[in-house]
Amino acid sequence: MHVQVNNIQLHYVDEGEGKPVLLLHGFPFDHHLWDKQIEVLAEKFRVIVPDLRGFGETDHPEGEYSMSQYAADVITLLDLLQIDKAVIGGLSMGGYVSLAIAEQYPERLQGLILSNTRAAKDTAAIRQNRYNTIEKINYDGTDFLVSDLIQKVLCDNTLQNKPDVVEFVEAMMGRQNAAGIKGALAGMAQRKDRTFILNTLDIPSIIITGSDDSIISPIEAKRMVKELQFGHLVMIPESGHLSNLEQPVKYNEVLMKFIESCDLVEQH
Ligand code: MLT
């Protein structure tokens, strides 16, 4: 489905009924990152999964996309769907956006899922690398990204033993648009440190990390969980940065249990 939000046509999937759950994909992916979760979670919950600005079937205007812009887009989507509160979460860049939502729209959260992500801003080296990548895209296009990233986003076990997952992720990265990729890179480079948000949260929260995540180390997850009052950390074994795709059965079990618990914990 498509809706008009903030001057773009935004594409999203809306499946199932019950407690609303909003899942945000990482970079450079689209809503299909969550296919394995949608099919299971939608049996019990209403699962809303957008293509963020610049990705998938959503429009990809030129320019920088801030995490606040992405947050405003998805909150407008929730407004249009008349959803007051949802369990909201994302993987990696989707986690950066979830933290921007937690900062700007805390009243919309019924629970928070931070998967394979960090609250800190970019180091100077990571920021520079993003601008170098934008330059390279301007000269060479985006083809190089797939072969560069595939080795980093999946762990060795997945790369060696799960050719279907490798193929799926390569195809998903390969179909993204240059303007969308550059907009996200510039936005991530400029994002602020949102660590301070973590200890303001008075809702159930879960931090998920992959044992072999080489893009965002489990150390970051351990740092974040220390800041939370009502949160816990789960490490998914034998998984890299895309823990939800690399170990979907374990990941879904964790997510299902967490989303169910969001009713049980008293809200403050
Ligand atoms: C992602 O998966 O969203 C990216 O690895 C995030 C990033 O580049 O910081």
Side-chain angles (χ1 to χ4, degrees):
M1 275 172 280
H2 284 88
V3 280
Q4 178 78 21
V5 302
N6 307 326
N7 295 324
I8 58 162
Q9 285 284 314
L10 183 127
H11 173 259
Y12 68 101
V13 165
D14 183 356
E15 279 190 25
E17 283 170 22
K19 190 189 304 183
V21 179
L22 174 77
L23 296 176
L24 305 173
H25 63 79
F27 166 93
F29 310 116
D30 58 31
H31 77 276
H32 288 292
L33 179 76
W34 296 109
D35 281 359
K36 291 264 186 272
Q37 281 66 53
I38 298 169
E39 69 190 28
V40 172
L41 297 180
E43 284 173 17
K44 284 198 90 167
F45 310 114
R46 180 174 182 187
V47 189
I48 298 130
V49 190
D51 283 331
L52 292 172
R53 177 178 287 257
F55 294 94
E57 294 170 49
T58 291
D59 285 349
H60 36 78
E62 296 288 337
E64 177 183 321
Y65 311 155
S66 68
M67 299 305 109
S68 302
Q69 176 69 70
Y70 287 130
D73 290 345
V74 296
I75 290 298
T76 308
L77 173 64
L78 290 186
D79 289 344
L80 291 168
L81 298 176
Q82 299 185 324
I83 295 173
D84 249 18
K85 273 183 191 284
V87 177
I88 297 180
L91 184 140
S92 199
M93 185 179 81
Y96 309 158
V97 179
S98 302
L99 282 169
I101 294 172
E103 180 185 11
Q104 292 164 248
Y105 314 93
E107 71 287 356
R108 309 303 288 265
L109 286 163
Q110 192 171 355
L112 178 65
I113 302 157
L114 296 173
S115 182
N116 302 81
T117 194
R118 58 162 65 90
K121 65 180 182 180
D122 279 356
T123 60
I126 294 178
R127 190 175 313 119
Q128 188 53 49
N129 192 37
R130 296 201 199 278
Y131 288 122
N132 295 345
T133 306
I134 291 173
E135 275 299 298
K136 192 161 160 59
I137 293 172
N138 287 338
Y139 288 105
D140 297 340
T142 57
D143 288 352
F144 71 95
L145 273 182
V146 176
S147 49
D148 268 17
L149 284 175
I150 195 72
Q151 304 296 330
K152 296 182 186 148
V153 294
L154 301 175
C155 71
D156 286 347
N157 181 45
T158 307
L159 287 166
Q160 280 156 26
N161 302 316
K162 298 185 179 172
D164 50 330
V165 175
V166 177
E167 206 178 298
F168 181 83
V169 175
E170 283 178 338
M172 184 166 48
M173 293 194 290
R175 63 176 173 257
Q176 306 308 327
N177 175 276
I181 290 173
K182 290 193 289 178
L185 283 167
M188 287 192 285
Q190 288 301 322
R191 78 185 193 285
K192 68 178 183 187
D193 190 326
R194 289 193 168 86
T195 308
F196 72 98
I197 296 300
L198 296 172
N199 63 30
T200 68
L201 295 172
D202 60 358
I203 45 157
S205 310
I206 187 169
I207 296 191
I208 305 175
T209 181
S211 56
D212 302 298
D213 188 336
S214 60
I215 294 194
I216 301 182
S217 148
I219 293 169
E220 298 273 357
K222 288 179 187 157
R223 258 186 218 138
M224 285 196 294
V225 78
K226 285 194 193 137
E227 304 289 327
L228 291 172
Q229 300 178 61
F230 304 102
H232 67 287
L233 165 66
V234 175
M235 163 117 53
I236 309 282
E238 295 201 357
S239 70
H241 192 52
L242 303 186
S243 53
N244 69 318
L245 276 180
E246 299 183 71
Q247 297 295 345
V249 174
K250 173 76 184 154
Y251 193 97
N252 288 348
E253 216 176 85
V254 168
L255 219 53
M256 189 67 98
K257 201 165 146 206
F258 173 71
I259 297 165
E260 276 166 355
S261 79
C262 288
D263 273 348
L264 304 175
V265 179
E266 202 178 311
Q267 306 275 311
H268 297 266

